[in-house]
Amino acid sequence: MIDFSSPSVFKLTQVDPGAVYSQVAPLLIQGEQLIYAFKTTRDFVAFTNKRLIAVNVQGMTGKKVDFTSLPYNKIQAFSIETAGNFDRDAELELYFSGLGKVRLEFKSSSDIRALGQMIAAFIL
């Protein structure tokens, strides 16, 4: 489960959504499509056309996996921060009704503006 009191959840690198599809496919509902995927070494975040799925691989063997589903219709507000010259990471903050804030950090190579546009299209 995402720790909503933590200042940052993941430091993420954009990957081809096909790289994580087999792991999230059993969770997808009819008509749901995987659009973006971002990974750390073992964990990842998948953005679909309906929700954000945060995947936390646990334990030494990685057999235990926590899937947290955060639907876009629960987002009340969000912000993006692009990477700069000295602060090389981009950030996305999502404010979920009844849950709190989720903050994700991305490598500067991630297209944070496109991610922000996608989220806006689904919640506005």
Side-chain angles (χ1 to χ4, degrees), residues 6 28 34 47 52 56 61 68-69 72 77 80 83 93 97 109:
S6 175
L28 302 180
L34 185 57
F47 290 86
L52 159 74
N56 180 7
T61 63
T68 301
S69 176
Y72 297 139
I80 60 170
E93 290 183 344
S97 174
S109 60

Side-chain angles (χ1 to χ4, degrees), residues 52-111:
L52 159 74
I53 302 171
V55 181
N56 180 7
V57 179
Q58 302 175 355
M60 292 183 65
T61 63
K63 287 187 177 185
K64 184 175 181 178
V65 181
D66 175 67
F67 296 92
T68 301
S69 176
L70 300 163
Y72 297 139
N73 66 0
K74 297 296 181 188
I75 296 175
Q76 291 184 317
F78 73 96
S79 71
I80 60 170
E81 181 179 300
T82 61
N85 289 332
F86 298 107
D87 183 3
R88 303 293 299 161
D89 299 320
E91 297 173 6
L92 170 66
E93 290 183 344
L94 302 163
Y95 298 86
F96 287 90
S97 174
L99 296 174
K101 177 176 73 170
V102 172
R103 181 175 172 213
L104 303 170
E105 291 185 12
F106 301 85
K107 300 282 184 173
S108 61
S109 60
S110 300
D111 190 353

Side-chain angles (χ1 to χ4, degrees), residues 32-64:
E32 189 172 14
Q33 300 170 344
L34 185 57
I35 300 172
Y36 287 108
F38 299 86
K39 286 189 76 156
T40 64
T41 305
R42 292 174 27 151
D43 302 329
F44 66 91
V45 176
F47 290 86
T48 75
N49 59 329
K50 305 224 178 259
R51 60 186 159 161
L52 159 74
I53 302 171
V55 181
N56 180 7
V57 179
Q58 302 175 355
M60 292 183 65
T61 63
K63 287 187 177 185
K64 184 175 181 178

Side-chain angles (χ1 to χ4, degrees), residues 14-30:
Q14 192 165 358
V15 297
D16 181 335
V20 299
Y21 182 79
S22 65
Q23 294 167 282
V24 296
L27 302 172
L28 302 180
I29 62 171
Q30 185 175 3

